[in-house]
Amino acid sequence: MNKRSSLTINIAVWFGLSFLFTVTIVACIISASLYSHFNALDKEKLHAIANTTQDLIKEQTISNSYSTLNTIIKNEKNISLFIYNKKGTLLFQDAQSRLLLSPAQWKLDVINNWSQNENQYRGIKISSDNNISTPVFISVVMNKEVHQQFLNKMYTLLFSIFTITAISLSVGGYYIAWRALKPLRNLGVTLTQINASSLSTRLNAQITHQELAPLVNAFNEMLARIESSFSQLSFFSTHLAHELRTPLSAIILQNQVLLQNERDIKTYQDALRSNLEELEFLSKTVTDILLLTKAQSNQLPFKIEVIELKHLVEKVSEYYQLLAEEKGVKFTIIGDCIVHHDSAHLRRIIGNLLSNATRHADPDSEITIVIIPNKELVTFSVTNQGKSININEQHLIYQHQYRSPASSNINSTEVNIGVGLNICQTIIKAMGGKITLYSKNRETTFTVTLPIEYD
């Protein structure tokens, strides 16, 4: 397994490398500037000595100027003077020079550089004026050792300064990176304290640095999704397990009793009828769980059909007509609209709303279904008269764990595990719509808004 690299060390290393790259460029610029500066100085000095020599031999003969020339050169360190005739014969060489020079190939008035005996030299060659008695070439040579020593000392000093500075800045960069990443470390410590029992914890983006706010917000959103998924998992593993265990236990117990002794045909038929009811409940429970899971994971299949909404409501209401007649409740449907949706999903939504409205409606009351098309949207509402839902409980009505207090007083043989409105809301969202609730003064209205055409 590869060892994970340290972000702090990486930042410090990149900081040091960036500085090293910068100072390398600066060092190159300084070196080039110094070299250019010394070149200019040397050229100026060599020209000055060459011109002085030329002026001197104009006023005197070459042989008479030897003493003066030796005096001039003696006062100049690392400077040598040579005078040649046009044939290349050496006419004069200063007394302190031990340099062997062959300037015949030199170009006039151009700085020439060369090496000899492990020393670096720089020289210039000029031609004397034609108005002197004997035309000559004057060569002035300079030993660059002094300059080179200075440059070497400068390079050593710069290297030392840059090395110490690079090390200091790398250490400083490590410390700065360590301090800068402290909020991330604190965030990591906070995250390690979150477990299955504290998924409701949310990080406060207001007290974090601006750069960490998107990360904190994204993590809070992830926590919300995990909490929702964990809540559903807990519901399925506890509440649904209990709901499934009851009919299974009833089927097992009833079959065990039947097998103890022989029974008449009617007893077996009653037992099979009872088992069938329990199996229908189990089948509906499994179907609801699968549908809810697919809807929440955006895997809900859609088969788009052209649907007359009023006709669909009439067909669905027929299934609840028997229960409605027992309570003296009647259905009234107002309005119509042609929509392009999946009829099975619409049937489930309408059926669930009508089922709730019928079960919670007052005896001898009316359930009103109103369909209102509006440009690209259609709104249909289901209203019943009955006990109102407390305003403090309305935001809980779509949660699968929620049970209305009024539900315990309702006598109904319809199988129900309490996920109907949760499934409705999830399907409606998947269809691009929304569902709202209004309950007041013993009147409850569920309003569903959907696009007329499903995209």
Side-chain angles (χ1 to χ4, degrees):
M1 182 186 232
N2 294 332
K3 186 178 180 181
R4 291 177 296 178
S5 60
S6 169
L7 184 59
T8 305
I9 293 178
N10 284 341
I11 293 175
V13 169
W14 281 107
F15 186 78
L17 289 176
S18 299
F19 173 77
L20 183 60
F21 176 75
T22 303
V23 298
T24 300
I25 294 177
V26 172
C28 292
I29 294 174
I30 293 175
S31 176
S33 299
L34 288 174
Y35 189 81
S36 176
H37 175 70
F38 283 129
N39 274 350
L41 290 179
D42 291 347
K43 185 176 182 180
E44 183 180 352
K45 190 171 185 178
L46 292 173
H47 270 291
I49 296 175
N51 291 333
T52 300
T53 303
Q54 182 175 259
D55 293 339
L56 184 61
I57 63 178
K58 282 181 183 178
E59 299 173 357
Q60 307 175 19
T61 61
I62 296 178
S63 58
N64 292 333
S65 62
Y66 286 169
S67 177
T68 305
L69 292 174
N70 278 317
T71 302
I72 294 174
I73 298 304
K74 185 176 181 181
N75 294 328
E76 299 289 342
K77 294 182 178 179
N78 300 313
I79 297 293
S80 298
L81 177 63
F82 302 87
I83 300 176
Y84 292 83
N85 60 20
K86 294 295 183 176
K87 296 180 179 181
T89 304
L90 181 63
L91 303 178
F92 171 80
Q93 180 178 3
D94 62 281
Q96 61 184 10
S97 175
R98 299 292 184 268
L99 184 65
L100 299 177
L101 186 65
S102 299
Q105 303 300 322
W106 288 12
K107 295 181 180 179
L108 291 173
D109 296 320
V110 176
I111 296 294
N112 297 271
N113 297 280
W114 77 97
S115 299
Q116 185 174 327
N117 298 329
E118 299 181 356
N119 291 321
Q120 300 291 324
Y121 294 95
R122 174 175 289 153
I124 190 171
K125 173 184 176 183
I126 66 172
S127 177
S128 64
D129 294 336
N130 294 327
N131 57 1
I132 63 175
S133 57
T134 305
V136 295
F137 291 114
I138 302 171
S139 298
V140 184
V141 179
M142 173 185 291
N143 191 332
K144 296 193 296 182
E145 181 181 0
V146 175
H147 295 340
Q148 195 62 45
Q149 289 176 353
F150 174 80
L151 289 175
N152 291 338
K153 289 180 180 180
M154 179 62 69
Y155 294 153
T156 302
L157 179 61
L158 289 175
F159 179 78
S160 302
I161 293 174
F162 289 158
T163 301
I164 294 173
T165 306
I167 294 173
S168 301
L169 289 179
S170 296
V171 174
Y174 180 87
Y175 176 73
I176 292 172
W178 182 83
R179 284 296 302 270
L181 295 176
K182 186 177 180 180
L184 276 179
R185 292 195 299 274
N186 293 338
L187 181 61
V189 172
T190 303
L191 297 183
T192 57
Q193 298 173 354
I194 298 176
N195 51 42
S197 61
S198 59
L199 289 176
S200 60
T201 303
R202 295 294 181 270
L203 303 177
N204 191 350
Q206 301 298 325
I207 62 175
T208 60
H209 291 73
Q210 182 179 1
E211 292 78 7
L212 293 180
L215 176 63
V216 171
N217 292 332
F219 190 83
N220 284 337
E221 292 175 1
M222 183 187 70
L223 276 179
R225 293 193 297 270
I226 293 175
E227 183 184 16
S228 176
S229 300
F230 190 80
S231 176
Q232 294 173 9
L233 181 62
S234 298
F235 170 73
F236 292 149
S237 62
T238 54
H239 180 78
L240 291 182
H242 174 74
E243 295 288 349
L244 296 176
R245 183 179 60 183
T246 301
L248 287 174
S249 298
I251 293 173
I252 292 172
L253 180 61
Q254 190 173 42
N255 288 338
Q256 288 175 342
V257 172
L258 288 175
L259 291 174
Q260 288 179 355
N261 296 299
E262 291 187 2
R263 312 287 178 177
D264 55 39
I265 294 178
K266 185 177 184 307
T267 302
Y268 286 121
Q269 289 177 340
D270 291 341
L272 289 174
R273 191 176 295 108
S274 175
N275 288 346
L276 181 60
E277 290 179 357
E278 300 294 348
L279 290 173
E280 287 176 348
F281 171 78
L282 291 175
S283 176
K284 183 178 184 301
T285 300
V286 172
T287 301
D288 288 345
I289 294 173
L290 291 175
L291 184 64
L292 184 60
T293 303
K294 287 182 179 180
Q296 291 175 341
S297 59
N298 296 322
Q299 297 179 351
L300 200 63
F302 283 90
K303 182 181 178 181
I304 307 304
E305 307 169 62
V306 178
I307 304 167
E308 185 182 348
L309 197 54
K310 182 177 181 180
H311 178 68
L312 181 63
V313 173
E314 289 174 346
K315 289 182 62 176
V316 175
S317 64
E318 293 176 0
Y319 290 100
Y320 301 95
Q321 195 65 46
L322 182 61
L323 176 60
E325 290 177 355
E326 290 178 357
K327 300 181 66 174
V329 174
K330 67 175 183 178
F331 296 108
T332 300
I333 305 172
I334 302 173
D336 194 8
C337 181
I338 303 296
V339 298
H340 297 76
H341 276 284
D342 188 301
S343 62
H345 296 328
L346 277 177
R347 184 187 297 270
R348 178 174 288 273
I349 294 170
I350 297 169
N352 188 274
L353 295 179
L354 291 181
S355 172
N356 287 338
T358 305
R359 288 189 296 113
H360 292 86
D362 288 336
D364 301 320
S365 63
E366 182 181 20
I367 297 175
T368 306
I369 302 99
V370 179
I371 303 170
I372 303 175
N374 182 16
K375 295 183 179 180
E376 298 180 354
L377 300 175
V378 60
T379 299
F380 65 90
S381 60
V382 179
T383 303
N384 70 282
Q385 286 79 40
K387 184 176 180 180
S388 301
I389 301 173
N390 191 300
I391 191 170
N392 296 324
E393 298 176 357
Q394 290 183 13
H395 70 285
L396 303 172
I397 197 72
Y398 303 106
Q399 297 183 7
H400 45 62
Q401 300 98 327
Y402 176 77
R403 287 291 191 279
S404 171
S407 299
S408 58
N409 300 323
I410 296 174
N411 295 323
S412 174
T413 59
E414 183 182 358
V415 292
N416 183 18
I417 61 170
V419 296
L421 284 176
N422 184 233
I423 292 176
C424 278
Q425 185 187 48
T426 306
I427 294 176
I428 291 169
K429 285 183 178 180
M431 297 170 74
K434 65 178 181 178
I435 181 171
T436 58
L437 166 65
Y438 176 83
S439 185
K440 193 175 182 181
N441 299 328
R442 297 191 63 80
E443 185 173 275
T444 299
T445 301
F446 282 94
T447 302
V448 176
T449 303
L450 291 172
I452 292 180
E453 295 187 6
Y454 175 77
D455 295 330

